[in-house]
Amino acid sequence: MNIFKKIGASNAFMLFLCALIIIVAEYLFLTGDQIHAIFIGLWAPTLLAVVIFIKQITNGR
């Protein structure tokens, strides 16, 4: 529980969301829908990059 206080609720939610995206993409890939799996799998790094970009902008001001 102490780790959630260190990383914050919003960061924990984003990590959970990215893990969920990766699990869904792996499921789709293993069931044979490879094109959609790759498309959905690319959402996780994109989401993390946007969050990092927003944090850098807000910390720079």
Side-chain angles (χ1 to χ4, degrees), residues 5-16:
K5 289 181 182 178
K6 287 183 180 180
I7 64 173
S10 63
N11 290 336
F13 177 71
M14 287 298 163
L15 288 175
F16 172 74

Side-chain angles (χ1 to χ4, degrees), residues 20-35:
L20 184 66
I21 290 170
I22 292 170
I23 290 169
V24 168
E26 286 180 4
Y27 172 76
L28 287 173
F29 192 83
L30 293 175
T31 57
D33 195 5
Q34 296 169 348
I35 298 296

